[in-house]
Amino acid sequence: MARGLVAIAREWRRLLPAFAFTAGLLLSSPGAYATPPVDTGESIFRDGIAGDGLPVEATHHQQLAMRGAAAACANCHRRSGLGSKEGNTTIPPIAAQYLFRPSAQSPDELTVPFIDGMRTARQPYTEATLARAIREGIDSEGRPLGYLMPQFALNDADMRALIDYLRTLDRRRAPGVTDTVLHFATIITPDADPVKRRGMLDVLQHYFADKNAAPLGATPALRSSRKMMFMVNRRWELHVWELHGAPDTWDEQLRRYLAQQPVFAVLSGLGGRNWAPVHDFCEREQVPCLFPNVEVPVESEHDSYSMYFSRGVLLEAQLIAQRMREPAGSPTARPVRSVLQLYRAGDSGEAAAQMLATSLRKQGIAVDNRALPPNANVATALHHAPHADALMLWLRPPDLAALGDAPPASTAVYVSGIMGGLDRAPLPAKWRTNARLAYPVDLPQGRRVRVDYAFGWFAIRHIPVVDERVQADTYLACGLLAETLSHMVDAFVRDYLVERIDDMLEHRILTGYYPRLTLAPGQRFASKGGYIVRFAEPDRLRVVADSDWIVP
């Protein structure tokens, strides 16, 4: 509850405009207004920009003014137009079907999908009462709107555009949804690890089989489903979209897959060095992509449909950059002035090395990046490399195991935990004294209680554990989807799926490898930090924290 109150206070300015728009949105009269360009309504709704390119303005009790993005409808009513809930504050849906629908005295009378916050008994808005609501803050029955609702002044053309846009939100059913089936895809790139691929698919296929094991029967009528608010009586069907060839051909392959079988969302998935074409496809087609297993996720401020558990090796680069800038707890306890980075050309470590180098150079730290060709020997490359205060290894387990002689005692060694295998990283014993691992997950003793349920589930179903983190993350993604769908009832809207995950994620108790998962609107990475860890003993793989939890 405390968090809810803080969130409300923090976002109060954002919440006000959306309510004002609720009334103004639908104020229009089909013959009364000129029709501006089609994209004006979307611009007002999502960005708070009017048809003339100027910021939309709103007032509250003639005192508080909001302009532009702060006055966008989507801030409160979300991209779906289906509203949201924070603590005791409920933001109602403003898609046209919810504002214009006839009043209902009981759930049995509803003819639209159930949404938290919908006003079932309120008189429907007319164009006149909506105009009054947006300008004066009076609802369809003559009562004041909620205290968060400001008053807006949109011209007739902008109002017409906004109404037209709201009507586009009245899609009763998303692609990939039938009366009896929910279709989902998982995407696998050609450079994905075949062992991880097998482990991920094992989990997905068994989870879908479990979901479909109970007899479903016929889908209940809409009115009946209102009484069973947490039941979505549909079978889950999984489609495996295997990609082939060069990345510049993946978009065309994905478009063919989607045309052949539309899906409601992409669930999990597995990538190698390059996930960007898949990410871009899902954003363009507005298909939710839920928690794929990728080491180099795509970072973008404006994307909405892709969710990741963490930033992967890019988060590791941030953790290590912070540690090198603040080296009090480092193996040498001395400032780092020079860094040598080793990575395989074209592997995930290349992107992370570039990010780390950019960050360190801004701090005046010299960075020497060494890209190893496919057949190069790591020990030989290190033997001929110049000395540096710190050595950063973006390497896989076979390369770590073949490092050879220990580095000079004065050299701090940092290792990518994700690429190296986390606490199972096979560093030779003589390397472990100086080695520190970037560790963007919870410590083994901390996560045990949260992953034991998943591993017990694997054991009961005889699923071989071939990659603990990938399989635990895949199971977690499936559970998050199932829980979210149970609360969506029949409101199958892709944007609403994303928004419900945003809202529900922080309340999740079983968070797998991660100590905490949260997604505020606009955030796409659910776990924000990590540790720097060290080996407890040179001859054992057990790791312990060498830093507090770091959020870069």
Side-chain angles (χ1 to χ4, degrees), residues 123-199:
Q123 290 298 313
Y125 277 100
T126 66
E127 292 158 4
T129 56
L130 282 171
R132 180 182 64 183
I134 191 170
R135 293 187 171 97
E136 302 174 26
I138 304 299
D139 74 5
S140 61
E141 298 177 330
R143 297 173 301 186
L145 292 169
Y147 74 97
L148 292 175
M149 182 68 174
Q151 289 80 53
F152 286 74
L154 294 179
N155 64 39
D156 291 349
D158 286 344
M159 191 65 66
R160 175 74 263 170
L162 191 51
I163 294 169
D164 289 344
Y165 180 72
L166 283 183
R167 294 188 188 281
T168 71
L169 301 178
D170 285 349
R171 291 169 291 195
R172 300 295 181 97
R173 183 169 296 169
V177 180
T178 73
D179 288 339
T180 57
V181 180
L182 295 174
H183 293 274
F184 301 97
T186 194
I187 300 173
I188 303 172
T189 64
D191 58 346
D193 185 313
V195 174
K196 295 178 180 178
R197 174 190 177 279
R198 184 171 70 252

Side-chain angles (χ1 to χ4, degrees), residues 188-202 242 270-272 466-467 470-471:
I188 303 172
T189 64
D191 58 346
D193 185 313
V195 174
K196 295 178 180 178
R197 174 190 177 279
R198 184 171 70 252
M200 180 196 72
L201 287 180
D202 242 358
E242 299 262 13
L270 185 65
V466 296
D467 190 293
V470 165
Q471 289 176 278

Side-chain angles (χ1 to χ4, degrees), residues 23-314:
L25 305 171
L26 302 167
L27 169 154
S28 69
S29 139
Y33 305 106
T35 302
V38 175
D39 61 354
T40 297
E42 181 176 349
S43 177
I44 295 170
F45 184 89
R46 293 188 178 182
D47 305 314
I49 302 299
D52 57 6
L54 297 177
V56 170
E57 295 186 353
T59 60
H60 187 256
H61 297 308
Q62 300 180 344
Q63 294 180 357
L64 176 63
M66 288 171 294
R67 304 178 73 250
C73 310
N75 287 333
C76 307
H77 297 285
R78 313 297 289 272
R79 288 170 64 99
S80 67
L82 298 181
S84 61
K85 186 172 183 178
E86 181 65 54
N88 291 328
T89 300
T90 300
I91 311 300
I94 57 172
Q97 61 183 332
Y98 292 94
L99 292 171
F100 288 131
R101 62 160 185 78
S103 61
Q105 299 303 315
S106 73
D108 287 345
E109 299 177 17
L110 293 177
T111 58
V112 293
F114 176 87
I115 295 290
D116 285 335
M118 63 188 295
R119 307 296 194 247
T120 59
R122 185 203 62 206
Q123 290 298 313
Y125 277 100
T126 66
E127 292 158 4
T129 56
L130 282 171
R132 180 182 64 183
I134 191 170
R135 293 187 171 97
E136 302 174 26
I138 304 299
D139 74 5
S140 61
E141 298 177 330
R143 297 173 301 186
L145 292 169
Y147 74 97
L148 292 175
M149 182 68 174
Q151 289 80 53
F152 286 74
L154 294 179
N155 64 39
D156 291 349
D158 286 344
M159 191 65 66
R160 175 74 263 170
L162 191 51
I163 294 169
D164 289 344
Y165 180 72
L166 283 183
R167 294 188 188 281
T168 71
L169 301 178
D170 285 349
R171 291 169 291 195
R172 300 295 181 97
R173 183 169 296 169
V177 180
T178 73
D179 288 339
T180 57
V181 180
L182 295 174
H183 293 274
F184 301 97
T186 194
I187 300 173
I188 303 172
T189 64
D191 58 346
D193 185 313
V195 174
K196 295 178 180 178
R197 174 190 177 279
R198 184 171 70 252
M200 180 196 72
L201 287 180
D202 242 358
V203 174
L204 286 173
Q205 290 164 352
H206 278 85
Y207 199 97
F208 274 59
D210 275 11
K211 288 293 296 182
N212 297 331
L216 297 177
T219 301
L222 186 63
R223 292 182 179 180
S224 296
S225 68
R226 293 298 151 266
K227 298 177 181 178
M228 299 178 289
M229 288 176 51
F230 300 103
M231 178 178 182
V232 178
N233 194 17
R234 287 173 173 84
R235 182 172 59 85
W236 289 22
E237 186 166 334
L238 178 66
H239 305 273
V240 180
W241 292 356
E242 299 262 13
L243 301 178
H244 306 279
D248 60 4
T249 69
W250 296 353
D251 185 79
E252 175 61 29
Q253 295 177 51
L254 289 168
R255 285 195 287 114
R256 288 200 301 267
Y257 275 128
L258 188 63
Q260 181 179 356
Q261 176 55 68
V263 296
F264 185 46
V266 171
L267 176 62
S268 191
L270 185 65
R273 298 180 297 273
N274 183 7
W275 187 254
V278 179
H279 176 104
D280 293 343
F281 170 83
C282 291
E283 291 297 325
R284 188 184 67 250
E285 299 296 331
Q286 300 183 16
V287 178
C289 183
L290 309 178
F291 308 109
N293 297 287
V294 293
E295 295 175 342
V296 190
V298 178
E299 296 187 286
S300 174
E301 294 182 1
H302 305 293
D303 290 345
S304 302
Y305 295 95
S306 297
M307 296 179 167
Y308 301 93
F309 283 127
S310 87
R311 286 184 169 85
V313 295
L314 304 181

